[in-house]
């Protein structure tokens, strides 16, 4: 199928699904896996199982996991999440059945449970061995969808999250305490249903992104991806005290844009600073292809006046920004991201590098993986007490061999530490993380 322009990008090359599930041991390793890395790297992504999916975002979720222990790679596994969507159950469009999920976007661990997340539905619990448990609605307290990008506060252990829907309530903020109890849900007044993929969290505030990609009823009726760019909808950021109520939200206008992913948000000198991967516009008319590229960008919101200053941070095409999550909500020095060669309109960006930004020195380091390779998000694994002390890891696909490796880099130099050689490929996916034992 490679190179056939009639096949959508998300079904071609390494975006195409794999047909089977495997459990592999006796994995070949190049370099030396640090013994301190004992745990599992899990990566989620779409892997349409029955029919070609109409959009990259809607295929059945599949997890890929690599278990590392005491300097060796114990296993690789890939498993579909056993959701009702995967089982072939028809979605009843008249019912907002939040247990119907592809569970295909991200994987987080909170209060001892692993959740595979997809923003249209409830979390879907899985195990660290990639086995499915089932939908999780926090003992019946969750009544909306749940973002794939909740934020876990490194100080309090709370998980802050939200859900959005195409019917009211359009946006609902949720707080889950460190023991996994949903303690607060707050409906945020919104004028329309916007695609809210992610949000920001500082020590004291959460920040919602009300951006001009809005629900389009006609597209939905035609079975198309129902969110597209809307010039009539403004762009603003909603700042709410953590755990606050709807009447405490304050809004700050910004230049129109779309953002899937912030890198981090924090407070400094009476302002909120939020660094994001920003698209100047996206999905004009149709959402099936990416018609622009994202770059790192900074919003600074004055907490007294709600005036906003914006500045581009870098000219490289980057997405999937990540930090050392011990700095989540605090001023961070280091940001990591997947980098791409911008091939222009109508192609998915070809991520083939990892970039490390040092905000203190202004230095930018780039690690490329060679001809005919594809990389994606790299997650941080802590190895020492300081910010960014540790490793990065992610899958890199080699188009020449048709196989993928789990590549481990030193986070401070981007030098390669080790790679776990897989005899098969891991499709391009969305998000993952390292979960230490
Ligand atoms: Fe995401």
């Amino acid at each position: 199928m490679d190179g056939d322009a009639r096949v959508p990008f998300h079904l071609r090359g390494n975006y195409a699904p794999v047909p089977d599930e495997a459990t592999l041991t006796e994995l070949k390793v190049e370099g030396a896996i640090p013994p301190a890395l004992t745990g599992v790297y899990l990566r989620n992504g779409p892997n349409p199982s029955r029919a070609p999916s109409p959009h990259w975002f809607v295929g059945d979720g599949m997890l890929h996991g690599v278990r590392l222990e005491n300097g060796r790679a114990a296993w690789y596994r890939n498993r579909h999440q056993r959701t009702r969507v995967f089982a072939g159950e028809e979605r009843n469009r008249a019912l907002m059945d939040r247990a119907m999920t592809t569970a295909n976007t991200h994987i987080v661990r909170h209060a001892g449970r692993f959740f595979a997340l997809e923003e249209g539905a409830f979390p879907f619990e899985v195990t660290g061995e990639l086995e499915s448990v089932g939908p999780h609605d926090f003992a019946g307290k969750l009544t909306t969808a749940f973002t794939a990008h909740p934020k876990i506060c490194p100080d309090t252990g709370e998980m802050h999250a939200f859900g959005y829907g195409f019917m009211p309530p359009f946006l609902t903020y949720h707080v889950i305490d460190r023991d996994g109890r949903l303690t607060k849900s707050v409906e945020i007044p919104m004028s329309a249903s916007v695609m809210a993929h992610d949000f920001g969290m500082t020590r004291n505030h959460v920040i919602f992104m009300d951006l001009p990609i809005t629900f389009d009823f006609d597209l939905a009726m035609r079975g198309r991806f129902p969110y597209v760019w809307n010039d009539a909808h403004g762009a603003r950021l909603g700042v709410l005290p953590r755990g606050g109520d709807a009447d405490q939200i304050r809004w700050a206008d910004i230049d129109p844009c779309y953002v899937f992913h912030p890198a981090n948000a924090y407070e400094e000198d009476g302002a909120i600073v939020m660094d994001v991967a920003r698209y100047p516009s996206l999905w004009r008319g149709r959402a099936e292809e990416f018609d622009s590229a994202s770059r790192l960008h900074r919003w600074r919101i004055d907490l007294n006046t709600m005036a906003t200053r914006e500045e581009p941070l870098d000219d490289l095409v980057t997405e999937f920004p990540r930090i050392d999550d011990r700095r989540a909500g605090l001023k961070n020095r280091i940001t990591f991201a997947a980098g791409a060669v911008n091939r222009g309109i109508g192609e998915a960006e070809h991520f083939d590098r990892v970039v490390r930004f040092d905000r203190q020195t202004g230095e930018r380091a780039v690690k490329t993986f060679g001809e005919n390779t594809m990389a994606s998000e790299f997650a941080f694994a802590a190895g020492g007490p300081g910010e960014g002390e540790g490793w990065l890891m992610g899958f890199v696909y080699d188009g020449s061999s048709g196989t993928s490796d789990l590549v481990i880099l030193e986070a401070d130099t981007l030098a390669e530490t080790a790679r776990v050689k897989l005899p098969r490929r891991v499709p391009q996916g969305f998000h993952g993380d390292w979960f230490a034992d």
Side-chain angles (χ1 to χ4, degrees), residues 229-292:
W229 184 266
N230 178 0
D231 273 318
H233 194 87
R236 58 181 193 159
L237 303 173
V239 177
L240 182 71
R242 274 173 43 168
D245 292 310
D247 60 1
Q248 293 176 276
I249 196 160
R250 296 188 299 154
W251 294 96
D253 290 326
I254 55 169
D255 291 340
C257 66
Y258 193 74
V259 166
F260 289 100
H261 302 121
N264 193 23
Y266 56 87
E267 285 161 39
E268 180 180 59
D269 304 330
I272 285 176
V273 177
M274 188 154 155
D275 291 351
V276 300
R278 176 186 187 268
Y279 296 77
S281 78
L282 184 70
W283 292 352
R284 286 184 175 272
R286 62 195 305 267
E288 279 75 10
E289 282 166 4
F290 283 72
D291 52 4
S292 78

Side-chain angles (χ1 to χ4, degrees), residues 161-319:
F162 68 94
Y164 76 93
F166 61 88
M167 301 275 281
F170 292 136
L171 190 69
T172 309
Y173 168 50
H174 301 291
V175 182
I176 293 97
D177 73 12
R178 64 179 305 136
D179 299 317
R181 287 183 298 247
L182 198 161
T183 56
K184 184 151 191 170
S185 294
V186 178
E187 289 183 19
I188 307 293
M190 297 278 284
S191 64
S193 171
V194 302
M195 186 172 76
H197 182 68
D198 199 341
F199 74 141
M201 179 194 73
T202 69
R203 271 299 175 274
N204 301 301
H205 295 89
V206 286
I207 302 101
F208 300 104
M209 299 187 286
D210 181 4
L211 304 179
I213 287 189
T214 61
F215 182 74
D216 185 306
F217 185 77
D218 289 338
L219 286 175
M221 285 297 99
R222 285 187 275 145
R224 297 266 307 281
F225 193 85
Y227 285 88
V228 286
W229 184 266
N230 178 0
D231 273 318
H233 194 87
R236 58 181 193 159
L237 303 173
V239 177
L240 182 71
R242 274 173 43 168
D245 292 310
D247 60 1
Q248 293 176 276
I249 196 160
R250 296 188 299 154
W251 294 96
D253 290 326
I254 55 169
D255 291 340
C257 66
Y258 193 74
V259 166
F260 289 100
H261 302 121
N264 193 23
Y266 56 87
E267 285 161 39
E268 180 180 59
D269 304 330
I272 285 176
V273 177
M274 188 154 155
D275 291 351
V276 300
R278 176 186 187 268
Y279 296 77
S281 78
L282 184 70
W283 292 352
R284 286 184 175 272
R286 62 195 305 267
E288 279 75 10
E289 282 166 4
F290 283 72
D291 52 4
S292 78
S294 60
R295 292 171 172 82
L296 276 189
H297 188 85
R298 176 166 289 173
W299 295 318
R300 187 183 291 271
I301 311 163
D302 185 310
L303 281 168
N304 280 320
T305 63
M306 298 306 281
T308 311
R309 281 207 334 255
E310 307 199 26
E311 65 177 309
L313 292 179
D314 196 85
D315 57 355
L316 276 184
V317 173
T318 47
E319 245 292 7

Side-chain angles (χ1 to χ4, degrees), residues 54-208:
H55 191 283
W56 189 31
F57 290 1
V58 300
D60 300 294
M62 176 179 271
L63 285 165
H64 301 261
V66 178
R67 167 85 189 158
L68 306 180
E69 52 188 32
N70 307 317
R72 54 184 275 275
W75 47 254
Y76 160 82
R77 288 177 192 174
N78 68 312
R79 294 290 184 276
H80 266 119
Q81 281 77 280
R82 265 40 180 194
T83 65
R84 284 160 54 197
V85 176
F86 175 76
E89 201 175 312
E90 280 294 317
R91 207 183 279 261
N92 183 339
R93 291 180 190 281
L95 293 175
M96 298 244 268
D97 186 348
R98 298 299 183 196
M100 288 290 280
T101 178
T102 60
N104 73 5
T105 309
H106 199 357
I107 174 93
V108 300
R109 179 173 61 186
H110 185 251
R113 296 176 196 267
F114 288 93
F115 297 122
L117 300 168
E118 175 253 292
E119 67 201 41
F122 292 154
F124 188 85
E125 189 179 352
V126 296
T127 71
E129 289 77 44
L130 295 77
E131 302 302 323
S132 290
V133 178
H136 187 83
D137 64 2
F138 301 94
K141 290 198 168 140
L142 181 65
T143 58
T144 73
F146 195 89
T147 178
H149 291 284
K151 304 281 176 267
I152 297 170
C153 177
D155 276 357
T156 65
E158 289 170 332
M159 179 161 68
H160 293 258
F162 68 94
Y164 76 93
F166 61 88
M167 301 275 281
F170 292 136
L171 190 69
T172 309
Y173 168 50
H174 301 291
V175 182
I176 293 97
D177 73 12
R178 64 179 305 136
D179 299 317
R181 287 183 298 247
L182 198 161
T183 56
K184 184 151 191 170
S185 294
V186 178
E187 289 183 19
I188 307 293
M190 297 278 284
S191 64
S193 171
V194 302
M195 186 172 76
H197 182 68
D198 199 341
F199 74 141
M201 179 194 73
T202 69
R203 271 299 175 274
N204 301 301
H205 295 89
V206 286
I207 302 101
F208 300 104

Side-chain angles (χ1 to χ4, degrees), residues 15-51:
Y15 285 88
V18 292
D20 60 335
E21 297 179 337
T23 301
L24 306 172
T25 55
E26 317 286 324
L27 299 168
K28 196 174 146 212
V29 174
E30 286 177 2
I33 298 170
L37 284 175
T38 290
V40 64
Y41 174 73
L42 298 176
R43 214 293 316 276
N44 206 347
N47 199 87
S49 62
R50 284 162 196 280

